[in-house]
Amino acid sequence: MSETLCPPKFSFEHNQLQSPLFSRLPSEIREEIFAFVLSSYDDTTRAYEKETYWARPGHYGPQHVATDLLRTCKRIYTEAWFMPFIYAEHTEYLTAIDRRPTAATWDDCLKIMDADYEKLQPRFIRIFAQMWVLEPGDRFQETLDMPHFYPKKITLTIRYTDFWFWENDEPLRINSTWVNEIRFPESVSRFCIEFESIERRKNEVDYIAREAAEKWYFRRKDGLLLTASHESEMSVYKWTGSSYLGRQRWIRDEVRPGELDYYVRTVTWKLSREDETRPSCPNLQVPHTMERALAPFLAGPAYLNVRQLHMAEIPSSMPAAEVCEALEKYRQSLRGRY
C-alpha cells in the first residue's frame, strides 16, 4: 500500500492477524484485491436510455463504486480508503447540455480527494468533447487547471456526433488550436484520444488518427512533451449502438434496423524527455478526394422524427425502406381526414 497517503487515525484498530487476508497475503496482493473491488462500474440500476448521445460501452449508466468493503473493518479502511477516488473513472462532458447526462460536476470530489491529505492521483479521467467546445482550447484548459487535479492519464473521446457537420456526412476535420495552446498538469504521463465514426467511414478515422500520431504533440506545464510513436501506440475497437439519437432515427446509416456500427481508433501520447522547439501542430482534414463507402440507405431522408414514428406505430425493428413507406402511408391517411 502507498506509504505516502495518510488515512484517518482511529483510537483503536485491531491488527486482524487471525484473518489469512492479513496474516498470509502480502500487502501488494491485498492492494490488487481491494483495487478490483473498489473500482467503478456502470450502475445499470440507473441505466441511461439507449436512444441518447451518451449511452456507450463503459457508460451505459452513471459510474458507481460499491464501498461495502471499507465498512468491514478498520484495517481494511486504513489500507484502502483512498481507492474509490483513484480507481473510479472521473468523467467530464465539454458538450451542449443535450449531449450529456444530467450529473453533478466533479469539483466536490476533487476537493475531498485533496483535503487534508497529500495529492491523490486519479487513474482514469475521461473527457467527451464536441468540436465547437474543444477547438478553442479554453474550456479544456479550464478543466486541466481545476484545483486538486493531479491525473496520471487522460482520455479524450471524440464521438461520431461530436465532429463538425456529421449530420451532413461531411469529411472529418479537426482544428488544432487547442492542441497548440493547452498545457497538461505535470502529473500527466499519458494522453489518449479516441477518434470515432461509423464503420463505413473507418478509412477517415484511420487517416485522422495517423496524421495526429505523426504531426501532433502536447506539452505539460513544465515544458516536457507528450509524443506518439505512430502505429505502435494505436488500438481499435468496435461497438454497436442505437440509431435513435436525440429525437431522430438516423436511417441513412443503419446497418440493421435501429442500429449503427461504430469504429474507434485510439492514439496514445506518452511522456517524452524531449524539451525542444517544434513547429506548431497543423489542422487535420480528410481530403475530399478520399474514397468513401456510400451510406446504406440513400433512397430517402437521412433521419426521421421519432415522435412521428411513434404516432404511426412504426417499430424500431422495421427496415429503413419499409419505415419510409409506412410513414408516407400514415401521412396520406392524415391528409385524407381533412
Side-chain angles (χ1 to χ4, degrees), residues 136-159:
D138 54 340
R139 290 277 300 279
F140 197 169
Q141 191 64 59
E142 287 177 10
T143 296
L144 299 177
D145 290 342
M146 287 190 300
H148 324 289
F149 189 54
Y150 316 107
K152 291 183 177 180
K153 175 185 175 182
I154 298 176
T155 298
L156 169 67
T157 300
I158 304 175
R159 301 164 296 186

Side-chain angles (χ1 to χ4, degrees), residues 56-330:
R56 57 186 297 110
H59 295 270
Y60 289 120
Q63 292 293 295
H64 179 74
V65 178
T67 57
D68 306 63
L69 176 67
L70 298 179
R71 296 193 290 272
T72 57
C73 76
K74 293 178 181 178
R75 182 164 179 184
I76 289 180
Y77 186 90
T78 299
E79 292 192 6
W81 65 273
F82 58 90
M83 290 187 177
F85 298 113
I86 68 172
Y87 289 110
E89 179 174 282
H90 302 277
T91 306
E92 175 80 323
Y93 288 84
L94 301 180
T95 67
I97 294 176
D98 64 348
R99 300 298 181 92
R100 62 176 184 258
T102 302
T105 61
W106 54 359
D107 291 11
D108 292 339
C109 181
L110 293 173
K111 291 176 183 177
I112 293 172
M113 292 166 65
D114 196 57
D116 299 326
Y117 306 114
E118 295 187 23
K119 295 178 180 179
L120 293 176
Q121 293 186 329
R123 305 293 175 88
F124 309 109
I125 302 296
R126 183 178 298 276
I127 298 173
F128 294 97
Q130 288 181 268
M131 287 295 122
W132 67 273
V133 184
L134 174 67
E135 289 184 343
D138 54 340
R139 290 277 300 279
F140 197 169
Q141 191 64 59
E142 287 177 10
T143 296
L144 299 177
D145 290 342
M146 287 190 300
H148 324 289
F149 189 54
Y150 316 107
K152 291 183 177 180
K153 175 185 175 182
I154 298 176
T155 298
L156 169 67
T157 300
I158 304 175
R159 301 164 296 186
Y160 166 52
T161 55
D162 292 330
F163 279 99
W164 288 113
F165 304 114
W166 64 273
E167 303 94 331
N168 301 332
D169 209 29
E170 289 195 6
L172 303 183
R173 69 176 190 267
I174 308 177
N175 183 285
S176 63
T177 298
W178 67 282
V179 179
N180 293 309
E181 294 190 357
I182 65 168
R183 295 294 182 267
F184 286 101
E186 296 178 13
S187 59
V188 174
S189 60
R190 185 170 296 197
F191 177 54
C192 302
I193 302 181
E194 294 181 341
F195 299 97
E196 175 187 274
S197 191
I198 48 180
E199 175 75 19
R200 71 176 174 86
R201 301 182 64 178
K202 64 181 180 180
N203 289 345
E204 294 182 61
V205 174
D206 290 341
Y207 177 88
I208 287 285
R210 285 194 301 268
E211 289 286 289
E214 179 182 349
K215 299 177 180 179
W216 282 4
Y217 63 91
F218 297 88
R219 285 195 183 274
R220 300 197 318 186
K221 293 180 180 179
D222 59 4
L224 294 181
L225 302 183
L226 298 170
T227 60
S229 56
H230 311 306
E231 296 293 335
S232 63
E233 298 300 335
M234 294 189 192
S235 61
V236 171
Y237 74 89
K238 303 177 182 182
W239 67 285
T240 298
S242 173
S243 64
Y244 288 74
L245 299 172
R247 290 179 287 274
Q248 298 163 339
R249 176 176 169 178
W250 286 85
I251 58 175
R252 176 189 64 198
D253 295 308
E254 287 186 350
V255 290
R256 291 167 298 279
E259 293 184 343
L260 301 178
D261 283 346
Y262 291 98
Y263 177 87
V264 187
R265 183 171 284 274
T266 303
V267 181
T268 300
W269 285 262
K270 295 180 180 179
L271 182 62
S272 169
R273 292 302 170 184
E274 298 179 36
D275 186 11
E276 60 183 39
T277 301
R278 288 192 172 200
S280 296
C281 299
N283 300 334
L284 302 183
Q285 167 78 60
V286 170
H288 287 272
T289 56
M290 176 177 285
E291 185 175 347
R292 296 198 297 167
L294 294 176
F297 182 73
L298 295 172
Y303 63 87
L304 297 171
N305 183 278
V306 171
R307 183 171 178 271
Q308 288 189 354
L309 295 177
H310 287 166
M311 292 175 62
E313 299 182 347
I314 297 175
S316 60
S317 59
M318 184 178 290
E322 295 179 23
V323 168
C324 289
E325 182 179 347
L327 187 59
E328 181 57 30
K329 289 181 179 179
Y330 171 74

Side-chain angles (χ1 to χ4, degrees), residues 311 330-338:
M311 292 175 62
Y330 171 74
R331 290 168 176 166
Q332 289 178 1
S333 69
L334 291 181
R335 288 193 290 268
R337 297 177 187 177
Y338 302 99

